[in-house]
Amino acid sequence: MTEIDKTNRKGIVLAGGSGTRLHPLTVSVSKQLLPVYDKPMIYYPISNLMLAGINEVLIITAPDQEHLFRNLLGDGTQLGMQFDYAVQEKPEGVPEAFVIGADFIGDDPVTLILGDNIFYGQGLVQQLRHAVRSDRGATIFAYIVSDPQRYGVVTFDDTGKPVEIAEKPKRPRSDYAVTGLYFFDNDVVEIAQSLKPSKRGETEIIDVVRAYMTRGDLSVERMGRGIAWLDVGTHQALAEAAAYVQAVDHRQGFKIACIEEIAWRQQWIDDAQLKSLSAHYGNSPYGEYLAGLLESRL
């Protein structure tokens, strides 16, 4: 991994909601704080923002969970980052993140990632960096799935241009599902503020994407077979994600979504700061891994 310059683009991790599909695991703790093998779930979306060069991140939580995220992540300075926090009083749709985060976003473009989405694989960093370079319009990421009727689905014309976005269609015209990773210009704040709730009583992120598609400002990055997208919203998906991360860790000897390593390799923190982070984790395997990064360079 080489040094990645920081961008002026802001990042948002949406980590609110009640996680009812994971009850009883989530009765007393946020879904995004559950472990996925050896680290909290929220490390994974944060790592994707970091790999895109985004170092200012707003974490939106449920009202009774904000202090837990603050205890875990602090203000971000230990990673050469800035973490801010906001509360979503009740789930009223993904686009509400842009309304809640309007002051944080300011006049900058913004990237939103859902707190239960995990992305990893060959070519991912290049696609993230390509998306982050654009300050105009929107970029979404699409992934081939075997059951597209469960997702928002994007359809392309013969030239590869996106022409339709359908939410959970009964007869999908495409196998490309829209993932929980969205890059928007600053217009997204105004678009989100203008949305009306759907029949579900929530505003819909698909309507935001459609607004960009209608004005001809939507790009779609198609994720290839070398990239894994895991939507960790059920007990089975949580177990499968943990097994996947464990397999990579065991077979290849490095960790997915190790935010301390990413910050260090991108030169957002120096050797002394990484050593301090390693000591913070004591003699745990995670702390030993961080210490080993330094030793391997000697």
Side-chain angles (χ1 to χ4, degrees), residues 62-82:
D64 60 341
Q65 299 289 311
E66 181 183 354
H67 68 288
L68 298 176
F69 286 93
R70 285 185 181 273
N71 288 343
L72 174 67
L73 297 167
D75 63 4
T77 54
Q78 75 279 12
L79 300 171
M81 299 181 67
Q82 174 188 321

Side-chain angles (χ1 to χ4, degrees), residues 103-291:
D103 290 341
F104 168 79
I105 296 167
D107 296 325
D108 294 320
V110 61
T111 296
L112 171 70
I113 186 167
L114 302 185
D116 59 359
N117 274 221
I118 296 174
F119 300 90
Y120 175 75
Q122 185 176 9
L124 176 62
V125 174
Q126 290 82 355
Q127 286 190 299
L128 292 173
R129 293 303 293 165
H130 181 261
V132 87
R133 280 194 290 268
S134 175
D135 288 336
R136 176 166 176 78
T139 300
I140 62 174
F141 286 73
Y143 191 89
I144 291 179
V145 295
S146 60
D147 50 354
Q149 64 275 9
R150 294 181 52 231
Y151 302 91
V153 174
V154 56
T155 303
F156 305 91
D157 65 15
D158 292 340
T159 68
K161 178 182 177 182
V163 293
E164 182 185 64
I165 303 285
E167 179 66 18
K168 298 181 180 179
K170 292 182 179 179
R171 293 183 176 84
R173 296 176 55 196
S174 163
D175 294 330
Y176 278 97
V178 178
T179 72
L181 176 60
Y182 312 88
F183 288 70
F184 295 114
D185 63 18
N186 194 257
D187 291 350
V188 72
V189 176
E190 184 177 350
I191 292 171
Q193 290 170 338
S194 69
L195 292 179
K196 298 290 190 293
S198 68
K199 294 179 180 178
R200 298 194 306 143
E202 300 180 0
T203 56
E204 305 290 348
I205 191 65
I206 290 296
D207 290 335
V208 176
V209 175
R210 284 197 188 107
Y212 281 95
M213 185 177 67
T214 299
R215 73 184 202 186
D217 270 346
L218 177 65
S219 298
V220 180
E221 290 277 349
R222 303 192 210 189
M223 291 180 161
R225 295 173 64 179
I227 296 176
W229 170 45
L230 307 173
D231 181 358
V232 193
T234 66
H235 296 98
Q236 180 176 337
L238 183 63
E240 290 173 350
Y244 175 81
V245 174
Q246 181 186 26
V248 172
D249 186 308
H250 177 70
R251 300 267 182 175
Q252 300 185 3
F254 58 81
K255 293 189 178 298
I256 298 175
C258 179
I259 56 179
E260 299 86 358
E261 178 181 6
I262 294 171
W264 175 68
R265 290 196 183 277
Q266 295 181 175
Q267 299 182 28
W268 295 2
I269 61 174
D270 58 24
D271 289 2
Q273 290 168 295
L274 182 63
K275 184 176 181 179
S276 176
L277 289 168
S278 170
H280 173 72
Y281 293 118
N283 61 355
S284 69
Y286 196 88
E288 292 172 355
Y289 175 79
L290 296 180

